[in-house]
Amino acid sequence: MKAKTLAILLPAVFLCVAATSISGHSETPDRGTPVRWKKTVIDRKFRSEGIAVADVNRDGKRDLIAGDVWYEAPSWTMHVLRPIARDYGDGAEGYSECFGCFSDDFNQDGWPDVILIPFPGAACYWYENPRNSRDYWRPHLIWRSACNETPLYADLFGTGKRHLIMGIQPEGQMCWFEVPANPTQPWIPHTISLEKSPGTQPFYHGLGVGDVNGDGRLDVIIPHGWWEQPENAQKRSAPWTFLWDSKRF
């Protein structure tokens, strides 16, 4: 992890101003038309390493979630969703307690909830949307450790349903997680890797998904190599095959 030496304005929204016809309909600019951007600074405090976008209050407008807080569109009013850990200022004073945010409706009540990825190696929770009440969002444990510096939340199996992908310790395994029938209980890990695998350490950098071998299935990729998704991966309990670069590991 590199120390932060620059002020961070997070989050900020950039709006692309497209060419508009006389009728008011947006048109695609030609290559000779410069693209103009408008920067809107929402908060000058450093809150999170990443943000999520969701209609938190179900008013038809997309809001922003950044660690301990969320910002209500369109005025970007800040609301606290869990106790604020501390004032990180412009980001030069230390690392956030949130290394990523992923929003989805985990309890199927029609309101968007959020996964807040913790400081690497710490326990990971999802937070239940209080449905427009002023209460803090209720935390529910996903797993006792969230490793590699930036876990993913992706449609790993091409079903339209996203899954959390991350390393766990002390096992040192890469896993994908299934939400149980009762989502307030710890989620179900499914092994992708053998134990003590690369890419599973708390501060490991680099994790992605993509169809490396062109077989139509998404594989899990780290800088040292990649795990090949097998057929019927959702029904398997065995680790996936790892193809690696011996010069890097």
Side-chain angles (χ1 to χ4, degrees):
M1 294 165 52
K2 297 180 180 178
K4 295 181 176 64
T5 57
L6 299 176
I8 299 176
L9 307 183
L10 226 179
V13 172
F14 292 84
L15 302 176
C16 178
V17 182
T20 305
S21 66
I22 295 175
S23 63
H25 293 90
S26 178
E27 297 177 344
T28 302
D30 59 36
R31 292 183 178 180
T33 303
V35 176
R36 294 175 293 137
W37 297 83
K38 176 184 177 183
K39 180 176 77 171
T40 302
V41 178
I42 294 172
D43 190 346
R44 294 186 179 275
K45 296 288 186 179
F46 174 56
R47 305 284 182 184
S48 174
E49 298 280 351
I51 68 170
V53 179
D55 184 4
V56 171
N57 54 359
R58 299 207 311 185
D59 65 352
K61 302 178 180 65
R62 302 177 77 185
D63 311 300
L64 303 176
I65 307 172
D68 305 329
V69 304
W70 66 277
Y71 304 88
E72 181 182 353
S75 61
W76 308 116
T77 302
M78 188 179 79
H79 304 270
V80 177
L81 69 85
R82 69 177 183 181
I84 296 176
R86 63 186 179 89
D87 186 352
Y88 297 99
D90 62 7
E93 289 81 5
Y95 291 98
S96 170
E97 291 298 323
C98 182
F99 273 61
C101 307
F102 306 115
S103 183
D104 212 334
D105 182 7
F106 302 114
N107 58 0
Q108 300 298 304
D109 67 351
W111 294 77
D113 310 301
V114 68
I115 297 171
L116 298 183
I117 298 299
F119 192 85
C124 183
Y125 295 83
W126 71 272
Y127 290 78
E128 183 179 350
N129 190 324
R131 298 187 288 188
N132 278 342
S133 84
R134 295 186 179 181
D135 297 335
Y136 287 141
W137 296 32
R138 182 177 300 176
H140 301 287
L141 180 68
I142 294 176
W143 198 248
R144 52 180 153 73
S145 64
C147 297
N148 53 283
E149 187 162 316
T150 310
L152 292 180
Y153 187 60
D155 183 5
L156 184 58
F157 304 111
T159 61
K161 181 178 181 179
R162 292 177 292 170
H163 293 280
L164 181 63
I165 307 159
M166 65 183 185
I168 61 172
Q169 291 291 342
E171 297 87 350
Q173 285 184 297
M174 186 67 67
C175 300
W176 67 270
F177 284 80
E178 179 184 357
V179 180
N182 180 355
T184 65
Q185 297 300 306
W187 291 8
I188 304 166
H190 296 270
T191 56
I192 292 174
S193 78
L194 296 169
E195 293 190 356
K196 310 304 179 186
S197 288
T200 63
Q201 298 81 5
F203 299 109
Y204 187 92
H205 282 69
L207 179 65
V209 297
D211 184 4
V212 176
N213 56 358
D215 64 359
R217 296 187 291 270
L218 294 178
D219 309 301
V220 175
I221 310 162
I222 59 173
H224 284 91
W226 55 283
W227 288 278
E228 181 182 8
Q229 184 178 151
E231 292 186 37
N232 300 316
Q234 290 182 272
K235 300 178 181 179
R236 289 169 52 101
S237 58
W240 302 5
T241 299
F242 185 58
L243 304 170
W244 57 288
D245 182 351
S246 61
K247 296 179 180 180
R248 293 182 62 89
F249 180 64

